[in-house]
Amino acid sequence: MNFDISLVITVLAACSAAFSAGIAYKSNRDLAKTDRERRIREVSLLANKVDAAATDVEELGNQLMPAYNALFSLAGRTDSGAHKECKRAVEEKQEAVVPMQEMARNLLKKDPASLDDEQIVSRLLKFDGYLSGINRIRGRLHAELGSVEAQRSTVLNKP
């Protein structure tokens, strides 16, 4: 009789262990799925941020060009070498962000969920770097626009 109770206890323990393993497996699978969904949302969010920041760079450049034109016109130096260089530098900054913006837009056009895990991680790292670079360019353009407008104001306010 003791043998039968030991056998029943052993079978119950094995069933309990199998049940626990099943729960652990499902929990681990659900956690992996949730983590993948989080990374997909994150890569999509970063792509949107890259696109928006690149659009800001384009808009700032488009504001800076007429500001330079006005400043150099007031100084009587329209079409001077310095004027052309300033405009070229703005265009270069605008052009530098175009490939980054295109990559972000391409990702957003297709379903980011179609990427495999390695591609998701690669895009996360890439877009994070892109966003950092675009933000630096955007900051420079903001500062440049402020400086040009301040100089133009100074020229206009001279007696």
Side-chain angles (χ1 to χ4, degrees), residues 23-38:
I23 290 173
Y25 173 77
K26 184 181 179 319
S27 177
N28 191 28
R29 190 183 67 213
D30 291 346
L31 183 62
K33 181 181 175 191
T34 301
D35 185 54
R36 178 174 164 72
E37 289 169 353
R38 180 194 54 76

Side-chain angles (χ1 to χ4, degrees), residues 49-158:
K49 286 181 177 182
V50 165
D51 183 31
T55 299
D56 286 349
V57 166
E58 181 182 350
E59 290 172 1
L60 281 167
N62 291 342
Q63 291 172 18
L64 196 50
M65 291 294 198
Y68 270 128
N69 291 340
L71 177 64
F72 279 92
S73 177
L74 287 170
R77 297 189 59 209
T78 305
D79 292 328
S80 67
H83 184 209
K84 289 176 184 175
E85 177 61 27
C86 290
K87 288 170 58 173
R88 186 191 60 73
V90 171
E91 288 170 350
E92 282 180 3
K93 289 174 183 140
Q94 286 177 307
E95 290 169 5
V97 302
V98 169
M100 297 177 232
Q101 185 176 37
E102 286 175 357
M103 183 178 256
R105 286 182 174 175
N106 287 337
L107 176 85
L108 293 168
K109 283 180 189 174
K110 66 179 183 178
D111 182 15
S114 66
L115 299 173
D116 64 34
D117 289 344
E118 190 174 301
Q119 290 171 319
I120 291 170
V121 170
S122 170
R123 296 303 190 293
L124 281 170
L125 294 172
K126 213 173 259 189
F127 289 147
D128 194 38
Y130 288 172
L131 186 57
S132 178
I134 292 171
N135 282 336
R136 278 193 304 276
I137 292 170
R138 183 170 49 179
R140 288 181 192 141
L141 287 174
H142 268 295
E144 198 171 336
L145 182 59
S147 174
V148 169
E149 288 180 349
Q151 290 175 43
R152 190 176 76 189
S153 176
T154 301
V155 169
L156 286 173
N157 291 330
K158 279 188 176 180

